[in-house]
Amino acid sequence: MLERLKDRLHQAVGLVGPEPSRPARVIAVASGKGGVGKTNVSANLALALQMSGEQVLLMDADLGLANVDVLFGLQPTFHLSHVLEGRCTLQEALIEGPHGLTIVPAASGLGQMAGLSHAEHVGLIRAFSELSTPVDTLVVDTAAGIADGVLTFCRAAQEVLVVANNEPASLTDAYALIKVLSRDHGVKRMQIVANMVRSPAEGYELFEHLRRVSDRFLDVHLNFLGVVPHDEYLQRAVRRQRAVLEAYPSAPSSVAFRTIAQAIQKWPPPQGARGHVEFFVERLVGAPMAGAVA
């Protein structure tokens, strides 16, 4: 009886069959400061995974200054502010991007969205349990910095990808983000992407700098995921409101995004949710979350 009830509940939230074929991958993309190209990394990485044959959901979690929809040249009818107001469901707010990429748009220029309470962030994450869209990978484009919303979404993900470039302020703020996540929120593994660098060697040097300082002062493992070069074609794509992968598929940055996506696909799949506020992971991986706390 209990097993039949469990099967019906799974089917009611959109799972195909009584058990999911494999757990979904959940990646939060973060940066210590703005201006390092985090949203470009989120959007193009999500698209690279989608173009490789995965079903990808890209969530714009920069709740007060959203721009994923602008980057793709899209005009959503609903966004996350409407979800919180009860004007629509999260499912109704979804829009389709290039190559079938599914996007959860957020609001731009709404101060109340940038200042959501921790409970409201948790409620937003819980709303993902209502989705019926099949998902292989969820990419969450967080806001820059170490505000509560960023930390909440990073805790809710299974992998945290930190984007940094080779400027002193970017490195300092990236380390601050790594420190807060590891010391205060129990995130002990993070992926590093060196963005807008002049060479692979410069990107690896950036990673080594962060790794040496983190190894000395923190209990955290940093993994070098890859580099995205400074690329005029990417800037042209931004001005055209298109992803560089779509506008200029042979551009150096497009090659880099595909390479990083291939590296991600080699990760072992997650075995289940880690805890904390991973409520949306419950639906994606099919793991019970009765003991999770905010």
Side-chain angles (χ1 to χ4, degrees):
M1 176 71 72
L2 288 176
E3 286 302 313
R4 286 200 300 272
L5 178 59
K6 179 181 177 183
D7 291 345
R8 289 176 182 175
L9 287 172
H10 279 176
Q11 292 162 6
V13 295
L15 294 174
V16 179
E19 295 292 341
S21 58
R22 66 180 180 87
R25 190 183 296 115
V26 184
I27 305 169
V29 183
S31 65
K33 68 181 292 292
V36 300
K38 171 185 56 61
T39 296
N40 259 311
V41 171
S42 299
N44 283 284
L45 183 56
L47 185 57
L49 291 166
Q50 178 76 26
M51 293 172 69
S52 73
E54 293 195 15
Q55 185 61 51
V56 180
L57 180 65
L58 172 60
M59 176 185 179
D60 192 341
D62 190 347
L63 300 179
L65 295 171
N67 54 15
V68 165
D69 55 330
V70 176
L71 192 64
F72 285 116
L74 302 172
Q75 296 181 327
T77 301
F78 297 113
H79 48 66
L80 287 175
S81 177
H82 298 132
V83 176
L84 288 175
E85 293 169 359
R87 294 172 57 184
C88 68
T89 65
L90 189 58
Q91 186 74 41
E92 292 169 334
L94 301 182
I95 56 175
E96 183 174 332
H99 296 273
L101 175 67
T102 304
I103 298 169
V104 183
S108 182
L110 293 181
Q112 66 268 30
M113 289 299 292
L116 294 182
S117 68
H118 177 74
E120 287 171 318
H121 283 124
V122 172
L124 197 55
I125 292 172
R126 280 181 168 175
F128 275 81
S129 65
E130 302 172 358
L131 288 179
S132 60
T133 302
V135 176
D136 296 312
T137 299
L138 170 61
V139 177
V140 183
D141 180 40
T142 71
I146 56 173
D148 181 76
V150 175
L151 303 176
T152 300
F153 285 116
C154 287
R155 289 176 61 205
Q158 293 142 343
E159 296 288 346
V160 177
L161 193 162
V162 177
V163 180
N165 62 26
N166 206 16
E167 297 177 358
S170 173
L171 291 170
T172 299
D173 291 349
Y175 176 74
L177 173 65
I178 293 166
K179 180 172 70 174
V180 171
L181 284 172
S182 62
R183 282 187 175 179
D184 301 339
H185 298 279
V187 180
K188 299 301 182 183
R189 181 184 67 243
M190 293 175 228
Q191 312 291 331
I192 306 298
V193 168
N195 193 32
M196 299 187 291
V197 294
R198 291 169 293 184
S199 68
E202 180 183 319
Y204 191 74
E205 182 182 351
L206 179 158
F207 165 74
E208 279 293 297
H209 174 80
L210 287 173
R211 185 190 63 79
R212 285 193 298 268
V213 178
S214 298
D215 284 352
R216 183 177 179 184
F217 298 107
L218 304 175
D219 178 22
V220 64
H221 174 73
L222 302 185
N223 178 60
F224 183 54
L225 190 56
V227 303
V228 180
H230 181 79
D231 185 6
E232 177 58 31
Y233 284 104
L234 191 148
Q235 301 306 317
R236 293 183 191 178
V238 169
R239 290 192 290 269
R240 294 177 58 187
Q241 292 185 274
R242 295 181 67 190
V244 69
L245 278 163
E246 187 182 24
Y248 305 105
S250 299
S253 55
S254 295
V255 174
F257 286 123
R258 285 195 293 269
T259 300
I260 294 172
Q262 290 168 1
I264 288 173
Q265 290 177 311
K266 293 178 182 178
W267 293 347
Q271 298 304 307
R274 191 180 63 236
H276 302 304
V277 290
E278 291 177 289
F279 300 103
F280 61 85
V281 181
E282 176 183 3
R283 191 197 70 82
L284 295 174
V285 305
M289 296 290 294
V293 295

